[in-house]
Amino acid sequence: MATRWNNVPLKDGEEVVHTYTPSFLFLGIAWAIITIVTQGMALPFWLFHYWTYKQNRWAVTNQRIIARTGVFSKKTVTVPAEKITDVTVIRPFLSGVFQTGKVLVNTAGSGRRELQIFGQGDPDKVHEEITSTLGV
């Protein structure tokens, strides 16, 4: 019987080792300030944004990284371990203040980032888990 993660079929012998969802700390504080300034009028937008933000999921298996994003239409991106050339941690200024960041995964033969794992509370830990699990 095939195993699945977030409705994505896993290959034979493939196991999910780590899973990630975005941290809402930074975005939550920003939206709380906006909601207060607009006297609550931004609350519906905040709730919708929270819901869409939390729909993002990532998994590191023993063979690849899987990203599942989207609300109304789902998008799945998979990056095989043997194609990964670089894993980079980015912490923009405000994200650094709130101790969050994103991890970019680049692959061979692509001039752009293949995958972005954003909103992580400890991006260095995510980087370490990816590189140690997949041997990058």
Side-chain angles (χ1 to χ4, degrees):
M1 185 170 102
T3 308
R4 300 176 86 71
W5 171 80
N6 204 17
N7 212 23
V8 176
L10 299 179
K11 301 172 184 176
D12 288 337
E14 186 174 26
E15 299 175 16
V16 173
V17 181
H18 304 286
T19 59
Y20 308 103
T21 57
S23 167
F24 202 64
L25 177 64
F26 169 67
L27 204 54
I29 291 171
W31 273 103
I33 292 169
I34 291 169
T35 300
I36 290 168
V37 169
T38 62
Q39 298 176 1
M41 295 182 68
L43 186 60
F45 298 104
W46 180 87
L47 292 172
F48 178 75
H49 194 72
Y50 171 79
W51 179 60
T52 57
Y53 191 72
K54 293 304 260 185
Q55 298 302 310
N56 297 291
R57 304 272 186 271
W58 303 273
V60 175
T61 74
N62 56 344
Q63 298 178 15
R64 61 185 170 158
I65 300 175
I66 305 169
R68 187 95 161 126
T69 59
V71 175
F72 301 111
S73 61
K74 295 289 185 182
K75 178 181 177 184
T76 302
V77 175
T78 62
V79 180
E82 61 272 6
K83 298 275 187 186
I84 297 173
T85 58
D86 181 52
V87 180
T88 306
V89 174
I90 303 289
R91 272 191 213 84
F93 173 71
L94 284 178
S95 295
V97 170
F98 293 103
Q99 299 298 311
T100 62
K102 58 187 166 185
V103 178
L104 307 179
V105 177
N106 297 305
T107 61
S110 176
R112 60 178 179 80
R113 73 169 183 274
E114 197 67 36
L115 193 98
Q116 176 177 286
I117 303 173
F118 59 84
Q120 296 305 300
D122 189 351
D124 291 318
K125 180 181 176 191
V126 174
H127 177 274
E128 175 60 32
E129 289 172 349
I130 290 171
T131 55
S132 64
T133 300
L134 298 177
V136 178

